[in-house]
Amino acid sequence: MSCHATWIQGMSRHARLGKRMAAILVMVLPSVSVAQDWKVVNPSNTGVPGEVVELVTFAPDGNLWVGARWPFWEEGGIGVFDRSTDTWSVWANWETPLPSEIIYDVEFDASGTAWIGTARGLARYDGQTWTVYDPTNTPMQLYAVRGVAIGADGHIWVNNTNYAIGGDALYEFDGVSTWTRYAVPTELPWPAPWTDLEGPLVDHNGHVWVANHVQNGLAEYDGNAWTLHGQNVDRFTNLVEDLDGNIWMR
């Protein structure tokens, strides 16, 4: 193995909140006081675009990105909080090319461009231009993009999984035109018909990690071949690498 994998339940890649949580709770802990300052962040006092918070993460510039939606109306999107100006920007699915109100993942490449996994495809936003990748213009067979990871080489790894139907696969996209498909059981080392995937993660060595939604273990790709680890341990989701190069799962 390229790095030490700790087979315990760990933390998620993003600070993901419960599917039925209607607000974000922000707690500031002063270093010299026991007082706790809580602030409730919700649609009525911010730019959070919905009552159900799906994802919370920070961009490289320090801005807070919140994926949220209104389930009844099938509306939602992403609210971005600029902490330097105390202002919100909102990109909603009803007024931008963002293809869905359901946001599964957001990752940022070296240029700061956002790659957004949604229920209706992969969206790329560079701050000015939107590009949407889905089965109509890529080899992806499904619309749902449940996970995104970006390698140091700029390649985008896309978890194209729909738990209800077949055709699931992990795709490697060079960011320009070339897509490479990895699926169960032809490339990914699990038996058919369990094709649903969790992840992915690209570690500091450029190795790619992905888990199976049904089967035990974690698959590692070193650029040449896939190896299955931990198949006698458990199923895993939400992969993250710490500063020491350990892979944590839950």
Side-chain angles (χ1 to χ4, degrees), residues 136-173:
T136 68
N137 59 3
T138 77
M140 290 191 295
Q141 297 182 17
L142 306 170
Y143 278 89
V145 174
R146 293 186 176 272
V148 180
I150 303 176
D153 58 2
H155 286 201
I156 315 300
W157 291 82
V158 180
N159 178 359
N160 189 215
T161 290
N162 184 324
Y163 299 146
I165 59 178
D168 315 293
L170 179 69
Y171 288 88
E172 179 185 6
F173 175 43

Side-chain angles (χ1 to χ4, degrees), residues 54-91:
E54 303 281 3
L55 177 142
V56 179
T57 191
F58 286 95
D61 60 9
N63 290 346
L64 177 69
W65 286 51
V66 180
R69 62 191 177 97
W70 300 100
F72 181 80
W73 302 105
E74 296 184 356
E75 295 180 349
I78 295 173
V80 178
F81 178 55
D82 186 330
R83 294 187 293 174
S84 65
T85 61
D86 197 32
T87 58
W88 287 83
S89 300
V90 179
W91 301 312

Side-chain angles (χ1 to χ4, degrees), residues 184-221:
V184 175
T186 51
E187 293 84 23
L188 300 180
W190 288 285
W194 315 111
T195 62
D196 297 337
L197 303 174
E198 300 284 354
L201 166 73
V202 181
D203 70 17
H204 69 286
N205 290 316
H207 289 201
V208 181
W209 301 77
V210 67
N212 191 291
H213 183 66
V214 177
Q215 293 291 299
N216 288 0
L218 190 63
E220 177 192 13
Y221 182 60

Side-chain angles (χ1 to χ4, degrees), residues 7 11 32 51 68 91 103 115 146 150-151 168 224 229:
W7 305 109
M11 53 189 170
V32 295
E51 63 181 352
W91 301 312
I103 307 300
W115 295 82
R146 293 186 176 272
I150 303 176
D168 315 293
N224 296 300
H229 307 284

